Amino acid sequence: MVAVPTTDKSIDDAVHRHVETILASYLAERRAELPALARTFAQAVDHLSDFALQGGKRLRPTFAWWGWRAAGGDQDGPAARAVLRAVSALELIQACALVHDDIMDDSELRRGHPTVHVRFTQKHRAGSWLGEPERFGTAAAILLGDLALAWADDMFESAPLTGPMREAARAPWQAMRAEMFAGQYLDVLAQAEGDESEERALGVARLKTAAYTVERPLHLGVALAGAGEDVVAAVRTFGTDIGVAFQLRDDLLGVYGEPEVTGKPAGDDLREGKRTLLVALGLTYADRDGHRAGAQRLRAALGDPDLSEDTIALVRELLVEVGAVAELERRIERLTATAMSALDAAGLAEPGVTRLADLAVAATRRDR
């Protein structure tokens, strides 16, 4: 393995390349293992591989890697190579989450491409097969999402970690998977119940996004390096706050982001009925400040699959007018500030501390 450089932007580009190389190799190996009778399934697996490799920020393994380095882990050598393989498995956890999330949200685009269930729906239609195209597409995507989760575990287990490293990594790895599914359930439950509370919105952000995007990958990285309880607690605080801020930025992009940049249609979160903190604040402020018609319009927009661009524009204006957007920006700033304080207090090593701080800023000020 080529050593990861230690200067400027090339650092995270190099981590990105290492992760993609390891992931592509692993997926190719697993595809080749499929028996001849399963060659049609192997073709389906190609869709999963394409999905996992066609873009993505690789935030999770990057946070885990710099957690490892900040807690004293080597830049190169057998242990570093083992850690890079282990944390690359986080991308398959991410693939599982996104494939299933797109089914539950009935999303048509992800990263500017048709979602996995849409691809298989199109495949069914093109072949004039029997049954319902949408049902086949959903079934195929569920199976591939499940496969991504199974292969994530296999990939993590196959990393040549030492016994103590593997034991230290077990708790964050197991917690991360359970928290991810708990957050997803809370998300669909909030939509089903019409829960408009800030508490529920923040709970979803904490479990569905923060835990498996930043907090647990960081926990995993420092645990692999042998960090003590105080360091683990500090980086988990940092990771939670940055992870929630990351989701709040995502909430803004879901309403105000440009489709050609985000890779998703504008206003999709509204069409999907997402009870985000932005929505919760908008409803609270609109009801409080006498914008009854605006609050009614926002409630009517949530979950409407046929939401027009004109209505989306009106909702955007309302959220700005009542101060929900400004408040969300303030909360992102406060969360980033408390996260940086926790990072400063963690007693971690350079260049890891600087890289984690840079990643935090990039995650909370992004446009996609």
Side-chain angles (χ1 to χ4, degrees):
M1 183 191 77
V2 177
V4 176
T6 57
T7 57
D8 207 17
K9 185 177 181 296
S10 62
I11 300 173
D12 294 330
D13 288 345
V15 176
H16 190 128
R17 290 195 301 272
H18 285 312
V19 168
E20 291 202 341
T21 298
I22 293 166
L23 186 62
S25 176
Y26 181 79
L27 289 169
E29 290 170 7
R30 297 310 301 267
R31 186 193 190 283
E33 292 171 0
L34 295 172
L37 288 175
R39 63 179 179 273
T40 53
F41 180 58
Q43 294 168 2
V45 169
D46 288 340
H47 287 279
L48 175 62
S49 297
D50 290 345
F51 180 78
L53 295 171
Q54 67 177 19
K57 306 173 189 68
R58 314 304 180 204
L59 270 180
R60 292 153 190 83
T62 303
F63 269 114
W65 170 256
W66 287 110
W68 155 262
R69 293 284 285 116
D74 293 337
Q75 177 182 328
D76 201 1
R81 290 192 286 273
V83 167
L84 268 175
R85 181 177 178 88
V87 303
S88 294
L90 292 167
E91 286 298 297
L92 291 176
I93 295 280
Q94 163 80 336
C96 165
L98 294 183
V99 170
H100 287 170
D101 190 53
D102 287 339
I103 295 169
M104 286 180 271
D105 291 341
D106 199 24
S107 298
E108 296 185 356
L109 290 176
R110 170 71 68 176
R111 298 169 180 163
H113 300 279
T115 51
V116 173
H117 67 280
V118 167
R119 291 185 187 186
F120 281 93
T121 297
Q122 294 170 343
K123 190 177 182 71
H124 185 287
R125 284 204 182 95
S128 299
W129 296 344
L130 302 177
E132 300 174 7
E134 291 80 7
R135 185 167 184 174
F136 173 79
T138 296
I142 289 171
L143 291 170
L144 289 175
D146 290 348
L147 181 65
L149 181 61
W151 279 2
D153 280 338
D154 292 349
M155 186 177 185
F156 187 79
E157 287 298 321
S158 71
L161 301 170
T162 66
M165 292 170 73
R166 195 174 300 282
E167 180 62 28
R170 182 172 291 114
W173 183 262
Q174 292 178 346
M176 174 185 58
R177 293 175 305 165
E179 288 162 350
M180 179 183 74
F181 288 120
Q184 184 65 71
Y185 176 73
L186 287 179
D187 190 15
V188 297
L189 182 64
Q191 294 178 53
E193 293 179 336
D195 193 324
E196 299 175 357
S197 68
E198 292 184 32
E199 181 182 8
R200 176 61 63 84
L202 284 169
V204 172
R206 161 71 176 81
L207 288 174
K208 183 181 175 183
T209 302
Y212 99 104
T213 300
V214 187
E215 178 197 350
R216 293 301 185 181
L218 263 176
H219 182 182
L220 181 66
V222 300
L224 286 168
E229 291 182 4
D230 289 347
V231 171
V232 168
V235 299
R236 285 188 62 192
T237 298
F238 169 79
T240 298
D241 287 352
I242 289 301
V244 172
F246 176 89
Q247 180 58 56
L248 300 189
R249 178 63 62 198
D250 206 54
D251 294 348
L252 283 167
L253 292 173
V255 176
Y256 295 94
E258 297 294 336
E260 60 271 19
V261 177
T262 64
K264 296 184 70 175
D268 244 21
D269 280 2
L270 298 173
R271 294 188 182 95
E272 293 162 9
K274 295 285 187 184
R275 262 61 181 184
T276 64
L277 184 60
L278 176 63
V279 167
L281 291 171
L283 291 171
T284 297
Y285 292 178
D287 285 335
R288 181 194 66 190
D289 297 339
H291 290 75
R292 180 171 298 179
Q296 290 175 344
R297 183 181 297 116
L298 176 52
R299 288 189 175 95
L302 291 172
D304 180 359
D306 300 318
L307 200 60
S308 70
E309 293 297 325
D310 287 345
T311 301
I312 291 172
L314 290 172
V315 168
R316 287 171 170 165
E317 291 174 8
L318 172 72
L319 293 171
V320 171
E321 184 178 351
V322 300
V325 171
E327 175 60 17
L328 208 68
E329 290 286 5
R330 283 192 290 270
R331 296 201 186 193
I332 291 171
E333 289 299 319
R334 287 200 296 268
L335 284 164
T336 303
T338 57
M340 294 302 190
S341 294
L343 183 62
D344 289 341
L348 296 171
E350 292 290 1
V353 176
T354 296
R355 295 313 301 159
L356 289 175
D358 289 346
L359 282 169
V361 172
T364 57
R365 297 181 183 174
R366 71 194 198 282
D367 60 0
R368 67 183 67 197

